[in-house]
Amino acid sequence: MPVIIDGTEGTVILEPAPETLRTYKARQQEDTRERRYLTRLRRLPATTRDDVEIRLEANVELPVEVEQALANGAAGLGLVRTEFLYMNREDLPGEDEQYNFFAALIRGMEGRPVTLRTLDVGGDKLPEALAGYAPATSRTRHWACAPSACR
């Protein structure tokens, strides 16, 4: 049974009609052409028509994403989401773990700028390890802070 999963539109089409299959095949081919075109552009300087340079930087969560950011022409890391260190665990990350995480990012960027968001949690993404530090009334709020300021 053919199935179309359209991630752009957020739809799933079970047993699509032949015309729908043709439409999606054409869309897939167009996406492939566009991706090839954009791949050729990623090494060109990001400048406006009046020669104003625009610095394009990547947003990442993990050090393994640095390679992809550089391959796509990132001039730096504009935002490192450090919440990853705190999620899906019962304990807080130690100093050595944090150091190794940040050092890997900085080394991987080979002197390019790196911007770290120290911690951004709250509401639906309150790590279990930090739940005891947040008053019960604030667990539905969003907080952004350095870990030592969250106590």
Side-chain angles (χ1 to χ4, degrees), residues 120-138:
D120 182 13
V121 295
D124 65 339
K125 62 176 185 176
L126 182 61
E128 186 176 330
L130 291 175
Y133 294 98
T137 57
S138 73

Side-chain angles (χ1 to χ4, degrees), residues 82-111:
T82 61
E83 297 81 49
F84 161 78
L85 286 168
Y86 298 84
M87 304 306 280
N88 301 317
R89 61 188 296 162
E90 295 178 11
D91 61 338
L92 293 172
E95 184 177 344
D96 288 342
E97 181 181 355
Q98 292 181 60
Y99 174 83
N100 291 332
F101 175 85
F102 297 131
L105 287 165
I106 292 166
R107 274 193 303 272
M109 289 307 293
E110 301 170 344

Side-chain angles (χ1 to χ4, degrees), residues 1-5 12-22 24:
M1 167 175 72
V3 175
I4 295 174
I5 301 173
V12 175
I13 304 169
L14 302 175
E15 298 185 41
E19 180 59 31
T20 304
L21 280 171
R22 283 191 291 278
Y24 273 89

